Amino acid sequence: MLLFLIIGGDPLLYLAIDGLNSNYIDANIGLGLAFMFTWVYALFALIIAIIIVVRKKRKNNSSKEQ
Protein backbone atom coordinates (compact mmCIF):
# COMPACT_ATOMS: atom_id res chain seq x y z
CA MET A 1 0.00 0.00 0.00
CA LEU A 2 2.84 2.36 0.79
CA LEU A 3 4.34 1.63 -2.62
CA PHE A 4 1.17 2.91 -4.34
CA LEU A 5 1.31 6.09 -2.25
CA ILE A 6 4.93 6.66 -3.24
CA ILE A 7 4.19 6.04 -6.93
CA GLY A 8 1.25 8.45 -6.84
CA GLY A 9 3.08 11.19 -4.98
CA ASP A 10 6.41 10.95 -6.78
CA PRO A 11 5.55 13.37 -9.63
CA LEU A 12 4.46 16.03 -7.16
CA LEU A 13 7.62 15.55 -5.11
CA TYR A 14 9.72 15.92 -8.26
CA LEU A 15 7.75 19.05 -9.15
CA ALA A 16 8.43 20.61 -5.75
CA ILE A 17 12.16 19.87 -5.92
CA ASP A 18 12.41 21.08 -9.53
CA GLY A 19 10.54 24.28 -8.66
CA LEU A 20 13.02 25.08 -5.90
CA ASN A 21 16.07 24.41 -8.07
CA SER A 22 15.13 26.38 -11.19
CA ASN A 23 13.30 29.56 -12.01
CA TYR A 24 11.37 29.30 -15.26
CA ILE A 25 10.39 32.45 -17.11
CA ASP A 26 7.99 30.65 -19.44
CA ALA A 27 5.33 28.06 -18.71
CA ASN A 28 6.49 24.96 -16.86
CA ILE A 29 5.32 21.91 -18.83
CA GLY A 30 6.42 19.65 -15.98
CA LEU A 31 3.80 21.22 -13.73
CA GLY A 32 0.95 20.21 -16.02
CA LEU A 33 2.34 16.73 -16.61
CA ALA A 34 2.85 16.08 -12.90
CA PHE A 35 -0.69 17.11 -12.02
CA MET A 36 -2.15 15.20 -14.99
CA PHE A 37 -0.33 12.01 -13.96
CA THR A 38 -1.46 12.43 -10.35
CA TRP A 39 -5.12 12.94 -11.32
CA VAL A 40 -5.12 10.03 -13.78
CA TYR A 41 -3.46 7.82 -11.15
CA ALA A 42 -6.07 8.87 -8.57
CA LEU A 43 -8.88 8.17 -11.05
CA PHE A 44 -7.61 4.64 -11.73
CA ALA A 45 -7.20 4.03 -8.00
CA LEU A 46 -10.80 5.17 -7.41
CA ILE A 47 -12.14 2.91 -10.16
CA ILE A 48 -10.24 -0.10 -8.82
CA ALA A 49 -11.48 0.62 -5.27
CA ILE A 50 -15.09 0.81 -6.48
CA ILE A 51 -14.72 -2.50 -8.33
CA ILE A 52 -13.28 -4.18 -5.22
CA VAL A 53 -16.08 -2.86 -2.99
CA VAL A 54 -18.80 -3.94 -5.42
CA ARG A 55 -17.31 -7.44 -5.72
CA LYS A 56 -17.13 -7.80 -1.93
CA LYS A 57 -20.74 -6.70 -1.53
CA ARG A 58 -21.91 -9.13 -4.21
CA LYS A 59 -19.95 -11.94 -2.57
CA ASN A 60 -21.41 -11.14 0.86
CA ASN A 61 -24.95 -10.92 -0.49
CA SER A 62 -24.69 -14.22 -2.35
CA SER A 63 -23.35 -16.02 0.73
CA LYS A 64 -26.21 -14.64 2.90
CA GLU A 65 -28.87 -15.88 0.44
CA GLN A 66 -27.75 -19.51 0.64
Side-chain angles (χ1 to χ4, degrees):
M1 199 67 158
L2 181 63
L3 178 65
F4 293 123
L5 181 65
I6 292 171
I7 291 171
D10 188 45
L12 295 178
L13 178 63
Y14 171 76
L15 174 68
I17 293 171
D18 186 46
L20 292 174
N21 290 336
S22 58
N23 295 324
Y24 295 111
I25 295 174
D26 59 346
N28 185 356
I29 191 71
L31 174 67
L33 290 174
F35 277 110
M36 185 177 67
F37 173 80
T38 303
W39 280 106
V40 169
Y41 184 83
L43 178 66
F44 282 130
L46 178 65
I47 291 170
I48 290 171
I50 290 171
I51 290 171
I52 290 171
V53 168
V54 168
R55 284 185 181 175
K56 283 187 178 182
K57 283 191 175 191
R58 284 185 183 173
K59 185 178 179 182
N60 286 340
N61 286 340
S62 66
S63 66
K64 289 180 181 178
E65 291 175 359
Q66 294 177 357

